[in-house]
Structure formats: C-alpha cells, structure tokens
Amino acid sequence: MSKQTQITTDELRERLNAGEKLQLIDVREHEEVIQGMIDGARHIPMGEIPGRLDELDPNAPMVLICRSGYRSERVREYLSQNGYNNCLNMEGGMIDWVEGE
C-alpha cells in the first residue's frame, strides 16, 4: 500500500472540524495570501521553506497549501526528502477550498 501524499479539501475540512491538530503551511507568495488563508494556517512562502525548517515539527501531521496544489506538492516532495514524512499536499489548493465554502 502506498503512503498517502494528498488530501482533498473536503477531507481537510472534516479533519479540522473534528478538532484534529494539523500544521497548515501556506506556501503561496505574500500577495496571494492577502486574499485569504485557511484559519490556523502559517504562511511560509515556498522559497523560504529551506531556511525555515526549524519552524516545522517533523513529527506532527502537516498539510501544505498553495493556489492550485502544484507548488505545495513540490514542497511536500522536498520535505519528504528531508525527513518530514507526515506531509500531505492539499489537492486543488485554495481554488478548490474557496469553491467548497
């Protein structure tokens, strides 16, 4: 069985509504997050991730978020190569999240 690497916006909503504690990391650029972020998400632009790994808990479940799911998947791959094995990419990104509201 392959390890889950993706989470849908519906699954994420269910887990957050159930009170699950997740690290939500929004990797979009500053001008993008002005339009809104998921409550509780932490903004770390994609290009700053390598220099800010100390802000991430490698043992806590993490969900990576961007506009469409492409950049956050690149970040998920990078983190998994660096020992962060509990990362999920939010499929469809904020485009799908906003549509699901």
Side-chain angles (χ1 to χ4, degrees):
M1 185 177 113
S2 67
K3 185 177 164 311
Q4 183 182 0
T5 60
Q6 307 292 314
I7 187 169
T8 67
T9 54
D10 289 343
E11 288 172 312
L12 178 57
R13 253 185 248 283
E14 287 171 18
R15 290 173 68 171
L16 292 173
N17 289 339
E20 192 171 338
K21 294 283 177 243
L22 300 166
Q23 293 182 92
L24 303 175
I25 308 299
D26 193 321
V27 302
R28 295 177 297 160
E29 296 303 314
H30 295 284
E31 58 273 11
E32 293 176 286
V33 297
I34 293 169
Q35 298 162 9
M37 287 174 59
I38 297 173
D39 285 345
R42 185 142 59 351
H43 179 225
I44 304 178
M46 181 177 181
E48 295 180 20
I49 292 284
R52 295 176 66 180
L53 291 177
D54 60 332
E55 296 178 38
L56 307 175
D57 181 346
N59 302 310
M62 188 183 315
V63 177
L64 298 155
I65 302 157
C66 72
R67 191 181 74 84
S68 67
Y70 179 79
R71 283 174 289 173
S72 49
E73 174 58 18
R74 302 286 79 74
V75 173
R76 189 203 61 74
E77 290 169 359
Y78 172 81
L79 289 172
S80 69
Q81 291 164 359
N82 285 278
Y84 292 77
N85 299 314
N86 208 350
C87 299
L88 295 172
N89 177 47
M90 187 175 85
E91 288 182 275
M94 289 301 288
I95 294 169
D96 282 7
W97 181 267
V98 171
E99 287 178 359
E101 286 183 333

